[in-house]
Amino acid sequence: MSHQAIDEAISETNSQEKRNRLLPTHLIIALVIGLSWWSKDSVVDVLKNLVQGLSVSWIPKGIKWKTPSKSSISEARQRVGCAVMTRLFEKLARPMAKPETPSAFLKGLRWMAIDGTVFDLPDTEENGRVFGYPGSRKGTKAAFPKARLVILVELGTHLITDALISPYRIGERVRAIKLLRSVESGMLLTWDRGLHSFKMVEAALAQKCHILGRIPKNVKFPLVRELADGSYLSWINPDRKSKKKGATRIQVRVIEYLILEQGEEVIYRLITDLIDYEMFPSLILADEYHWRWEIENTLSEFKTHLNGRKTPIRSKKPKLVVQEIYGWLLAHWAVRSLIFRASSTTDKSPLRFSFTGTLRILRRAISQFQQALPSSLPYFFSWLISEIADQIIPPRQDRTNPRVVKKPRSKFKARKPIHRTGFTQLQSLTFALVSHAT
């Protein structure tokens, strides 16, 4: 993450401090990113971790850095705002795979995928009003407000190349269509059946990228012409709103195949605009479509291995929530971009390098870089890349991951709105001697 990109983001969003401060904008940006690297630590401890190397070098000089309080850090974050984090992510996030990167391309097309997730936010009145709560049974209220995040991922590197945050009430389909702003010619975009729609197909093709998406069971496609590889040509018709705007039907190719799941045959259906069945046979597309699941592994890195908090966001104000999420995205990008650079020194895929191992290396390396002389920084960076290159993990085993939970639901009753204010008041105890007749 270059100083130039950070300086440009600060300048473009007018986020620079007006006077010399103990917590300048550059440090706050590093702090917001570091909140994900040390997710179990308090915000004050995260700040101490970031300046530990400098603090050690100041000890012989008799200098002691006074650590700001939690409230001072919160005020500094509000002063900096969320625009600079958003701008910095937009400047840095991009696909990085090269044609020689293993598993990153299919016949010259860059593998991309789009998907969404939700996560809990601190239960404050402001967060609830802006982001909203999920639905619940009558007379109850969800425990936490939720934010929705839709991401675009380069599957061969697990790099998140674009993202959009929205309130929970806005569905994935709406945000996914807007996220297509970042796809382009030479990409093969995949998505799951939950994102299928005419608007999605139309918007993706308008960006000159190719598509490969799964179709829901209830969507029917007429057989127009059967192809030699078993697939067939069909049409996807516009929905009512799109038809009123002048949209016309789009020719697509449909691929149907069977997968054995728990002893039963399940029909999978895919649509694509890759009409040339000789260059892209249906067997290859059906087999390679399951690369789309790499976006689930990316979300696992992002939500579980990088953060791992039960409530991943700490911020109690909506603007700071957005700021923290973009810091979270930048933290993931920093780890994955370094893994890509390390993999470029080998012949292995970036997916063969340990994400958590790299994260631990980066945590240890920060203080070492701070104590290094400027002239020796290139040597330290070479050492860092070589350390990451040693984090090879074994080839992935063929296994399934059923959607079940080991821990059953809680025995306690659901929390209701009355429980938010109806706490039991502390009462003074009185004692009395009771005599018992014999």
Side-chain angles (χ1 to χ4, degrees):
M1 197 173 297
S2 67
H3 284 289
Q4 181 181 355
I6 297 175
D7 290 338
E8 289 177 357
I10 292 174
S11 177
E12 291 171 9
T13 57
N14 196 26
S15 302
Q16 60 270 28
E17 60 275 9
K18 305 302 180 184
R19 55 185 175 86
N20 291 332
R21 294 182 178 272
L22 187 63
L23 294 171
T25 303
H26 288 79
L27 182 56
I28 293 300
I29 291 174
L31 172 65
V32 175
I33 295 173
L35 291 176
S36 298
W37 283 11
W38 291 281
S39 59
K40 302 298 175 62
D41 294 355
S42 69
V43 65
V44 175
D45 287 334
V46 172
L47 183 59
K48 289 180 178 179
N49 293 337
L50 284 174
V51 300
Q52 182 180 5
L54 295 174
S55 299
V56 170
S57 63
W58 290 338
I59 290 176
K61 303 177 183 178
I63 302 174
K64 185 179 184 302
W65 191 65
K66 184 180 178 181
T67 306
S69 64
K70 181 179 178 180
S71 59
S72 298
I73 296 172
S74 179
E75 289 176 5
R77 288 184 57 197
Q78 293 181 60
R79 184 191 75 240
V80 171
C82 58
V84 64
M85 305 302 296
T86 306
R87 188 71 188 111
L88 182 58
F89 178 75
E90 291 172 352
K91 295 180 78 68
L92 294 175
R94 65 188 186 281
M96 298 180 72
K98 300 176 182 178
E100 59 270 18
T101 303
S103 306
F105 291 84
L106 175 67
K107 295 183 180 295
L109 299 179
R110 187 187 303 271
W111 275 114
M112 304 293 291
I114 194 167
D115 205 352
T117 185
V118 296
F119 39 80
D120 294 339
L121 305 177
D123 188 16
T124 65
E125 184 179 347
E126 290 181 80
N127 283 346
R129 184 175 65 253
V130 173
F131 292 100
Y133 293 87
S136 59
R137 297 193 305 272
K138 186 177 180 180
T140 66
K141 191 174 184 179
F144 297 97
K146 290 182 181 290
R148 189 181 300 279
L149 179 69
V150 182
I151 59 174
L152 179 68
V153 173
E154 184 183 42
L155 297 180
T157 60
H158 283 192
L159 281 164
I160 300 175
T161 61
D162 200 358
L164 281 173
I165 306 165
S166 67
Y168 180 80
R169 62 181 175 272
I170 301 179
E172 284 184 4
R173 287 187 182 183
V174 177
R175 306 307 280 170
I177 292 174
K178 189 171 182 179
L179 205 61
L180 295 177
R181 64 192 181 185
S182 296
V183 298
E184 58 188 27
S185 175
M187 292 182 174
L188 178 56
L189 179 66
T190 63
W191 60 73
D192 201 8
R193 55 187 171 182
L195 294 177
H196 171 79
S197 69
F198 173 85
K199 292 180 180 178
M200 187 76 173
V201 174
E202 182 186 41
L205 296 181
Q207 292 291 105
K208 308 298 182 183
C209 79
H210 296 285
I211 62 168
L212 181 63
R214 191 178 171 192
I215 314 167
K217 290 182 179 179
N218 62 328
V219 179
K220 307 300 180 183
F221 284 89
L223 193 158
V224 175
R225 181 165 65 89
E226 188 172 357
L227 303 177
D229 65 339
S231 61
Y232 60 90
L233 297 181
S234 186
W235 301 95
I236 179 171
N237 294 310
D239 55 84
R240 187 177 301 174
K241 289 185 178 179
S242 299
K243 188 179 292 185
K244 287 182 178 179
K245 294 179 181 180
T248 58
R249 62 181 185 174
I250 300 172
Q251 187 179 52
V252 293
R253 177 178 164 210
V254 182
I255 301 170
E256 295 185 0
Y257 58 100
L258 298 175
I259 290 182
L260 196 64
E261 293 183 357
Q262 299 179 351
E264 297 184 0
E265 291 184 342
V266 178
I267 298 177
Y268 274 62
R269 296 188 303 158
L270 309 176
I271 60 167
T272 180
D273 68 316
L274 299 171
I275 306 299
D276 188 350
Y277 63 89
E278 293 182 347
M279 186 173 183
F280 297 96
S282 58
L283 184 61
I284 289 180
L285 292 180
D287 185 51
E288 296 293 335
Y289 169 75
H290 298 279
W291 262 111
R292 191 206 71 84
W293 284 94
E294 288 300 323
I295 197 172
E296 304 293 345
N297 292 329
T298 304
L299 287 171
S300 176
E301 294 171 357
F302 183 69
K303 297 179 67 174
T304 304
H305 303 298
L306 179 59
N307 192 303
R309 289 165 53 96
K310 190 172 183 180
T311 303
I313 301 299
R314 314 166 189 242
S315 304
K316 297 181 180 180
K317 295 181 179 295
K319 288 185 178 180
L320 297 187
V321 167
V322 175
Q323 182 194 73
E324 188 174 344
I325 293 174
Y326 274 103
W328 193 5
L329 290 164
L330 285 164
H332 182 273
W333 179 89
V335 176
R336 268 295 160 191
S337 62
L338 284 172
I339 289 176
F340 173 76
R341 295 191 66 164
S343 70
S344 299
T345 64
T346 70
D347 59 350
K348 293 182 173 58
S349 167
L351 309 186
R352 288 289 308 279
F353 294 83
S354 171
F355 182 87
T356 53
T358 302
L359 181 60
R360 287 191 290 266
I361 289 172
L362 291 177
R363 288 170 179 161
R364 295 192 299 266
I366 288 176
S367 61
Q368 297 173 346
F369 272 77
Q370 290 173 342
Q371 298 176 57
L373 296 173
S375 58
S376 61
L377 287 178
Y379 301 102
F380 272 80
F381 188 77
S382 298
W383 162 81
L384 178 65
I385 295 299
S386 65
E387 285 286 300
I388 297 173
D390 291 337
Q391 301 297 309
I392 301 294
I393 56 178
R396 191 175 300 159
Q397 300 177 358
D398 293 331
R399 59 187 179 185
T400 59
N401 187 19
R403 294 188 173 183
V404 295
V405 293
K406 189 173 182 179
K407 185 178 179 181
R409 295 181 64 182
S410 173
K411 63 180 180 181
F412 297 102
K413 294 181 179 180
R415 186 179 183 184
K416 298 182 180 180
I418 192 174
H419 295 141
R420 297 175 184 269
T421 55
F423 299 109
T424 302
Q425 299 294 326
L426 290 176
Q427 302 177 11
S428 60
L429 301 178
T430 58
F431 297 89
L433 295 177
V434 179
S435 60
H436 297 275
T438 58

